[in-house]
Amino acid sequence: MKLKRMWPGLCILIVFMIFDVIMVASSSFFSGLFPYSDTKLTYSIALTVLGVLIMSVLTFLLGRICDHIELESLAHSIGVRVIYALMLIAVFIGGIFYRLYILGQTTAEPTGKLSLFENAQVGAKAAGAEYDLLSIVYTDILRFIMYFTGNKITTAYGLQIAFFMIFVILGTITCKVLLGKAGSVIFASYVSFMPIFTENLQKAVIGTDELFLTMLGVELFVIGIYLRNASDGKYNSRWYVIWYVFVGVIVGFMTYLDAGTFITVLPLLLSVMFMAGDKGYKGVFSFLFVSLSGVITFFAMITQEAGFAHMGAVLGNWSDYYFRNLNTFSMFWTYTNYKLLYLITFIVMSGVLVGYFRNKNFGRISPWLLATILVFVATPFFGATRMNDQNVVTVFFAFVLACVVSLITLTRQEQIFDEDIEEDDEDDSVDEELRTIIGDEDAEYVPLEKKALQGPRYVPEGMVLPTGSEDEMDVDASKMKMPKFEGKIGLDRKSSEHKITVKPEIKTEPEHKERKVVFRKRTEYKTAHVEKENKKDDFDLPFKNGDDFDL
């Protein structure tokens, strides 16, 4: 994804850096690294400044190294692709075994929403009705699996592990299409092995948190594909309206499921209108269709609960559930058990400050930074939304880490998509096809309008053609103004070497030919043609046999 460099992106960067510095300072203050209270504040400020400076220097140096080794060109080689695939496979397998190990080591009793497991048991009586959509989907999927595994509580935990790893795969693909291969590896590694995501397994909690993350991953995946195609300029057909409608359906459904998701993904959706190289406002056109289909889907989901007659009441209950100020904002990184990990995370996130200016042609991280800011600013006022949950916020921290790595590996020479350049490439492909058809692939294709100006150029032996700007630019010779010359250029073959003779102009009578008999001997005579004497001027040059101009 490549966005235009505009001043709102710089404003978003400044606001994000303010938030990040506050998080670094607060995390270091409560990290326990400085036990003495009288110097804790001083050391925390010093650690914040040094951490941000060191990360900025590392970002700059690593970026220069990537430019030197031309990492962007190496990313398309077969060897790098194989290594990339092996790394992701290792991360996914490692994440699965890590969770299985945590689950095997736990001694806690099953807790959480146990009705999900009880209602899913095969042949058992339902413990109670489920009303929220996530619980209904969770129960149905778990019941289907229990037909093969039996009514085992470990099946529910295994299903939650599967849900989470599906989310990791979807998030990794989203990072790859929007931020590159290196960023996707960092995201997958961070989310797979961050201990905060295994707490439900440690405490043996049964719930729908992992299922919600999976559905959020589906939404991000669809939006990621939508933005990548827009960045590559692939929306050139009206048939893509179907795809716009599908994206809107996903966004509208997720908004109905959790209002906080709309605020979080809104920066990503808005970025389609600021794609670099989009000169035809295709992004605006697609965004309108996505918004329209999203609104229709949202109200359709509201209507299906109780029909059109009670749509107002259902919408009121939905808004009361979410849009109320519960002041749920909390600085969880100050009291979590993983203070040091969050401190390192916040310091690394500060690398966006230097990385943002590595490429002046376009940007790609502003939507992710704005989404992370909105998680703190907007979602605390959304009531019971899951988007201000510690796990979801940490997921967006992982996306920011992927942004930092993406900026480091981003080369300065990388160009943006341009519709005009794309048309030139199409013309070149047509020319290549024409050369292939005529059987001469090495021949240069010349348009018809240029062929009319080209012709054989006969040059005397030894003459050197000029190489001025006019020849290089293929100027139309028929439109050039040539100086008017009156006179005649001639070669005096009888004059001596290095001597120019100019004969005065002689007035002669009208041209005519006469025959004259010249008697040399009495018995011999000879006739001769007397021709008019040629005029000569300053351009008459001496000439002798052997000169280069001797034709």
Side-chain angles (χ1 to χ4, degrees), residues 306-330:
F308 284 99
H310 304 280
M311 185 178 66
V314 175
L315 183 61
N317 294 334
W318 181 88
S319 60
D320 291 340
Y321 184 75
Y322 288 108
F323 294 94
R324 52 178 176 164
N325 185 4
L326 296 182
N327 293 324
T328 54
F329 177 78
S330 63

Side-chain angles (χ1 to χ4, degrees), residues 190-493:
Y190 184 86
V191 176
S192 297
F193 298 101
M194 183 67 176
I196 192 66
F197 296 109
T198 60
E199 283 192 345
N200 285 346
L201 295 177
Q202 292 175 352
K203 300 176 182 178
V205 176
I206 296 178
T208 59
D209 292 341
E210 290 78 9
L211 176 59
F212 174 77
L213 286 177
T214 301
M215 301 183 73
L216 178 63
V218 172
E219 183 181 21
L220 294 175
F221 169 75
V222 172
I223 295 177
I225 299 298
Y226 165 68
L227 294 178
R228 179 57 183 268
N229 291 338
S231 178
D232 293 342
K234 294 183 178 180
Y235 295 142
N236 298 320
S237 174
R238 295 181 180 178
W239 290 103
Y240 280 106
V241 173
I242 301 175
W243 170 245
Y244 304 154
V245 172
F246 176 75
V247 176
V249 168
I250 298 297
V251 175
F253 174 77
M254 288 300 298
T255 302
Y256 164 78
L257 186 65
D258 192 314
T261 59
F262 175 74
I263 296 298
T264 307
V265 302
L266 182 60
L268 295 173
L269 295 175
L270 291 175
S271 64
V272 75
M273 297 187 294
F274 305 99
M275 290 295 174
D278 183 10
K279 299 179 180 179
Y281 300 101
K282 298 177 183 177
V284 178
F285 176 79
S286 64
F287 177 77
L288 292 178
F289 271 92
V290 170
S291 302
L292 180 61
S293 60
V295 171
I296 294 175
T297 303
F298 171 77
F299 282 101
M301 295 300 299
I302 294 293
T303 305
Q304 60 87 29
E305 289 192 13
F308 284 99
H310 304 280
M311 185 178 66
V314 175
L315 183 61
N317 294 334
W318 181 88
S319 60
D320 291 340
Y321 184 75
Y322 288 108
F323 294 94
R324 52 178 176 164
N325 185 4
L326 296 182
N327 293 324
T328 54
F329 177 78
S330 63
M331 301 174 64
F332 59 84
W333 54 88
T334 60
Y335 57 81
T336 183
N337 296 327
Y338 317 106
K339 298 184 182 68
L340 186 59
L341 291 178
Y342 278 107
L343 175 61
I344 297 174
T345 300
F346 298 148
I347 292 176
V348 176
M349 285 166 54
S350 65
V352 298
L353 179 62
V354 175
Y356 180 84
F357 299 99
R358 272 187 43 77
N359 192 298
K360 298 181 179 180
N361 295 328
F362 59 88
R364 59 173 53 173
I365 66 170
S366 298
W368 296 108
L369 301 184
L370 182 57
T372 306
I373 294 172
L374 292 179
V375 167
F376 290 99
V377 176
T379 55
F381 302 94
F382 268 54
T385 178
R386 295 173 183 258
M387 299 307 295
N388 56 7
D389 182 72
Q390 182 176 353
N391 290 349
V392 178
V393 175
T394 306
V395 166
F396 279 88
F397 290 163
F399 280 122
V400 176
L401 293 178
C403 291
V404 174
V405 178
S406 175
L407 293 174
I408 292 175
T409 57
L410 174 66
T411 59
R412 295 171 176 264
Q413 293 78 17
E414 188 173 356
Q415 299 297 323
I416 63 176
F417 164 78
D418 196 338
E419 293 180 354
D420 297 336
I421 298 176
E422 188 74 13
E423 293 177 359
D424 294 339
D425 295 340
E426 293 178 359
D427 294 340
D428 295 340
S429 62
V430 173
D431 297 346
E432 184 177 356
E433 292 179 1
L434 290 176
R435 289 194 295 269
T436 306
I437 292 174
I438 63 177
D440 188 2
E441 298 182 357
D442 298 330
E444 181 180 0
Y445 172 73
V446 181
L448 294 177
E449 59 271 13
K450 290 187 177 182
K451 285 185 177 180
L453 302 177
Q454 295 183 357
R457 303 177 65 181
Y458 299 102
V459 181
E461 181 181 359
M463 178 178 289
V464 179
L465 292 177
T467 58
S469 60
E470 296 174 353
D471 294 273
E472 297 173 354
M473 295 187 296
D474 294 331
V475 181
D476 188 356
S478 62
K479 298 181 181 179
M480 296 175 59
K481 294 183 178 181
M482 301 300 295
K484 185 177 181 182
F485 173 72
E486 295 180 355
K488 194 172 184 180
I489 299 177
L491 298 177
D492 188 3
R493 297 177 181 270

Side-chain angles (χ1 to χ4, degrees), residues 120 122 139-149:
V122 179
T139 302
D140 292 340
I141 296 177
L142 182 59
R143 183 184 298 111
F144 175 77
I145 297 176
M146 283 185 176
Y147 276 114
F148 304 95
T149 62

